[in-house]
Amino acid sequence: MKIQIKKIYDNLPTELDSSITTLIDSYNKGKYPLDCEISQVLGDINASESYRMISSSLAKELRQCYVYDFTEGKYGEVF
């Protein structure tokens, strides 16, 4: 049975929140590959951190949850 992913962070910058929502929705609906969605999330995390809209520690947590967990196979084959 496939895991249904839910958002675990609130009050994120608008663009970052939107890209995370798109990634989660795409995964939950079975859209593959997710390479574009993951790349967008990573870019938005990096931009939000660079502009100090989120802390470096939050950026690290977000990368783990929404980039590395996907690319390292926690949720199965996404590419």
Side-chain angles (χ1 to χ4, degrees):
M1 183 175 178
K2 185 173 128 178
I3 299 168
Q4 290 291 302
I5 301 173
K6 297 179 181 177
K7 284 172 116 174
I8 55 174
Y9 295 95
D10 292 322
N11 301 317
L12 294 174
T14 304
E15 292 295 323
L16 176 56
D17 186 69
S18 177
S19 63
I20 289 171
T21 298
T22 299
L23 173 63
I24 290 171
D25 289 347
S26 295
Y27 174 83
N28 288 340
K29 291 177 182 175
K31 179 190 176 284
Y32 299 100
L34 295 174
D35 54 332
C36 293
E37 290 84 354
I38 293 168
S39 295
Q40 185 65 49
V41 168
L42 180 58
D44 289 341
I45 291 169
N46 292 343
S48 296
E49 180 184 20
S50 293
Y51 290 114
R52 298 182 186 188
M53 298 167 79
I54 60 172
S55 67
S56 291
S57 62
L58 179 56
K60 183 177 179 179
E61 290 177 42
L62 292 170
R63 283 186 200 99
Q64 183 61 54
C65 291
Y66 299 116
V67 178
Y68 306 136
D69 284 354
F70 278 91
T71 60
E72 294 173 357
K74 179 176 180 178
Y75 303 115
E77 187 65 39
V78 296
F79 295 112

